[in-house]
Amino acid sequence: VGSADYTNSSIQGQVNVAVQQRQPGSSIKPILYAAAFTRGMSPATLVWDVSTDFVTSNGAIYSPRNYDSKFHGPVRLRQALANSFNMPAVKVLDQVGIPAMLDMAHRLGVEGLDKSPENYGLALTLGGSEVTLLSMTGAFAVFANGGARMAPTPILQITDASGRNLLEKAQAEQVIDPRVAYQLASVLSDNEARK
């Protein structure tokens, strides 16, 4: 939508939200799980969804909660991601590490996150950062494309009047293991795991 008044330049009404930095919320969790699966975890890995306190870099206590205000005990990563449980995601990030998640986000083409892990805390996996919607859709396309990344583009080909190609679409780049992409696509499309 952009703004209440698209034509009002005093409030920057002509904004394209698809390329503006916004908090992604839980939509960023699959990027964490891609990093975890790359490091040997799998959809079958067990994690405890129980109340846990974490100490932040400034010494404060961080106690994440699930959206349903419940804890679910032992859950597999398949169920944790499929149900978007917060506590398991934070525990996985604590184990995998913020640098690994940032590295995965950059490999997937997510724009907005800087490369300095000290600028982030465990809330990173709950959407406590800002990224662009366009780059997030590109990252999810990697999961659907067997781990290959294509830069989002509206132009596939340009030819001149003689039919010569002036521009061809960019080639895909393999950025994650196809097996990891398959696992993520499987979890994200698993309606049974959400029960």
Side-chain angles (χ1 to χ4, degrees), residues 66-185:
N66 291 315
Y67 66 90
D68 62 0
S69 298
K70 298 176 184 174
F71 293 104
H72 306 277
V75 295
R76 304 277 180 202
L77 293 188
R78 175 176 292 277
Q79 285 73 31
L81 176 55
N83 289 285
S84 193
F85 294 150
N86 291 338
M87 182 58 77
V90 172
K91 286 185 173 186
V92 169
L93 180 56
D94 190 44
Q95 185 174 351
V96 169
I98 292 170
M101 183 176 172
L102 291 174
D103 175 64
M104 181 57 67
H106 291 117
R107 286 169 50 193
L108 295 173
V110 176
E111 297 173 359
L113 300 172
D114 68 39
K115 295 183 180 187
S116 305
E118 63 275 3
N119 292 337
Y120 301 100
L122 294 175
L124 174 64
T125 193
L126 305 182
S129 60
E130 292 186 345
V131 298
T132 67
L133 173 62
L134 182 62
S135 68
M136 285 294 288
T137 59
F140 273 73
V142 171
F143 305 145
N145 200 27
R149 180 175 179 270
M150 293 283 301
T153 180
I155 300 170
L156 299 180
Q157 184 178 35
I158 298 175
T159 57
D160 66 11
S162 303
R164 289 181 305 182
N165 285 332
L166 302 175
L167 177 72
E168 295 265 353
K169 71 177 184 176
Q171 296 299 311
E173 175 188 4
Q174 195 72 36
V175 294
I176 62 172
D177 187 313
R179 295 169 294 186
V180 170
Y182 175 83
Q183 289 175 322
L184 283 159

